[in-house]
Amino acid sequence: MATDDVSKAYSSPIFDAQAMLGTTVLADDPDRSLIEPWARGIDGVILDVGAGTGRWAGHLAGLGHEVEGVEPATRLVELARRTHPSVTFHHGAIADLSGCPKRWAGLLAWYSLIHMGPDELPDALVALRTAVEDGGGLLMSFFSGPSLEPMSHPVATAYRWPLPELARV
C-alpha cells in the first residue's frame, strides 16, 4: 500500500490513535523485554522510525537514551510532539531517510513496515540501511506467516512476510 495512502489513513480523524496505539508504554508491555535491552546496546542516537504516537521514543528517552522520531502521518506527529515534548519528532517517511545526510546509531522500526508490500519494502530496507551508522543496529518487527500475503488491519492493509522471504529482501 502506498505510503501516502497509509499516512492519510493514520491522519484521518476517524482513526483514534490514542485508543488504538496508546501514548505511553505500559509496565506490562511484553515488547519492553526486546526493545529495552536492544536500546541499552546502542551507543548513540536512536531514531524511532514510524514513531506513531511517540510512545516508544518517549519511553526510551525516559530511560535516558537520546532518541528522535520520524513519522509520516501529520496527526501522529502532532500528538507525539504534544505527548513527549522532550523528544524531537520529524515529519517524514522512510523514503526520506535515503537523502538525509544524518546517520543514527540505532533504528527502531517497530511495526513500521507492516503496510509495505513487495513493491515497497525492498526500497524501504535500503533507506533504513543508509540511515544507520556502520556498526549500528536495527530492531524491527513485522507480521510473519507461511506466505507473503495482505492481511486485514484496522487502519490500512498490512502484510504478512515469511521470515526467509523477508531476510532475502
Side-chain angles (χ1 to χ4, degrees), residues 96-145:
D96 299 330
L97 297 175
S98 290
C100 182
K102 185 171 182 177
R103 300 290 174 260
W104 291 267
L107 302 178
L108 176 64
W110 208 245
Y111 292 101
S112 304
L113 307 171
I114 62 171
H115 300 292
M116 294 183 178
D119 294 339
E120 294 174 285
L121 188 62
D123 289 339
L125 292 173
V126 169
L128 293 176
R129 175 59 190 106
T130 64
V132 70
E133 295 173 353
D134 289 339
L138 166 65
L139 181 61
M140 61 183 263
S141 58
F142 60 96
F143 296 119
S144 182

Side-chain angles (χ1 to χ4, degrees), residues 63-125:
L63 294 176
H65 300 283
E66 190 175 351
V67 186
E68 298 177 13
V70 63
E71 169 60 46
T74 303
R75 275 187 67 230
L76 296 183
V77 172
E78 292 167 356
L79 176 60
R81 287 175 177 163
R82 275 193 318 272
T83 308
H84 306 284
S86 66
V87 178
T88 299
F89 290 96
H90 308 279
H91 183 261
I94 291 172
D96 299 330
L97 297 175
S98 290
C100 182
K102 185 171 182 177
R103 300 290 174 260
W104 291 267
L107 302 178
L108 176 64
W110 208 245
Y111 292 101
S112 304
L113 307 171
I114 62 171
H115 300 292
M116 294 183 178
D119 294 339
E120 294 174 285
L121 188 62
D123 289 339
L125 292 173

Side-chain angles (χ1 to χ4, degrees), residues 19-95:
M20 184 175 171
L21 304 173
T23 56
T24 59
V25 175
L26 302 177
D28 63 347
D29 189 314
D31 294 340
R32 288 179 65 172
S33 65
L34 297 170
I35 295 172
E36 290 175 1
W38 170 81
R40 282 193 297 273
I42 300 298
D43 185 22
V45 182
I46 296 170
L47 180 65
D48 184 359
V49 178
T53 63
R55 69 189 205 102
W56 281 110
H59 179 73
L60 293 176
L63 294 176
H65 300 283
E66 190 175 351
V67 186
E68 298 177 13
V70 63
E71 169 60 46
T74 303
R75 275 187 67 230
L76 296 183
V77 172
E78 292 167 356
L79 176 60
R81 287 175 177 163
R82 275 193 318 272
T83 308
H84 306 284
S86 66
V87 178
T88 299
F89 290 96
H90 308 279
H91 183 261
I94 291 172

